[in-house]
Amino acid sequence: YIYRRNKYMAQQRSLLREFAVRKDKELYENKISFFTNIVHEIRTPLSLITLPLDDLIKKHKNESEPNEDLQKLRLIRKNALRLSDLCSQLINVRSFEESLLQLNFMQTDIKEIVESILEDFEPSIKEKKLSVDLEAPDKLVASVDTEAFTKICTNLIGNAVKYGKSTLVVELSVTEDLF
């Protein structure tokens, strides 16, 4: 009798643990869904703010004297774009989480990807007067999911450009069969 009761109790505890894990996962998914929906709802008014704001900035640019209103409009636009970027990052996190199980690894020249991303950021790099130092072998091939790797590097380089002061150093190297 004691053996059957202990076995039954162990089975019940196991079922409770499985139930708790399933509920935790469900709760997590609901939270993520909720926040993703909110982020989508925030993006719409942000775009409705930036479009007329751009028109106002264009009108004030034509004025010959420096204008305090133009500076304020640019500050508003900068912060609206920052909020929009943050929304995009939150949505990208959700997309990345959903695609984690669907990674497609292939041999890729990662230096080529990084060079392409740096080219995309070239206007911002010039505007901030940053110097760029890419330290990498002539060709660096690794098994990566190209899309995921590109998103990660774009985010890292974007942050480096945004917050960098003078020099942006990107170093790619091989260490113990890793890059």
Side-chain angles (χ1 to χ4, degrees), residues 37-169:
N37 289 336
I38 287 175
V39 168
H40 277 288
E41 293 302 318
I42 291 172
R43 284 180 92 182
T44 302
L46 279 173
S47 65
L48 294 174
I49 290 169
T50 55
L51 291 173
L53 194 55
D54 288 340
D55 289 339
L56 288 171
I57 289 172
K58 285 178 188 173
K59 286 179 186 175
H60 282 283
K61 273 185 181 179
N62 296 333
E63 297 175 3
S64 58
E65 295 181 25
N67 189 332
E68 189 177 316
D69 289 340
L70 179 59
Q71 290 175 332
K72 289 177 182 176
L73 290 171
R74 285 183 175 154
L75 180 62
I76 294 168
R77 183 178 190 284
K78 177 184 174 186
N79 286 301
L81 292 176
R82 175 76 177 129
L83 285 172
S84 183
D85 285 345
L86 290 171
C87 288
S88 295
Q89 288 177 22
L90 286 170
I91 290 170
N92 287 342
V93 166
R94 175 64 174 174
S95 299
F96 183 72
E97 279 184 347
E98 289 173 352
S99 69
L100 274 177
L101 301 176
Q102 303 167 0
L103 293 176
N104 182 22
F105 289 91
M106 57 193 328
Q107 292 293 311
T108 307
D109 185 350
I110 61 173
K111 180 182 179 188
E112 192 175 284
I113 293 172
V114 171
E115 287 174 332
S116 174
I117 294 167
L118 286 170
E119 285 175 18
D120 292 343
F121 279 99
E122 195 168 321
S124 298
I125 291 169
K126 284 183 180 177
E127 182 181 310
K128 288 197 68 180
K129 298 177 183 165
L130 294 171
S131 64
V132 177
D133 185 11
L134 175 59
E135 299 172 6
D138 291 335
K139 186 170 185 155
L140 185 54
V141 177
S143 182
V144 298
D145 180 292
T146 307
E147 188 63 32
F149 183 78
T150 301
K151 284 179 185 176
I152 292 166
C153 287
T154 300
N155 190 1
L156 290 171
I157 292 171
N159 286 336
V161 170
K162 280 182 195 174
Y163 304 111
K165 299 293 181 203
S166 62
T167 304
L168 171 61
V169 178

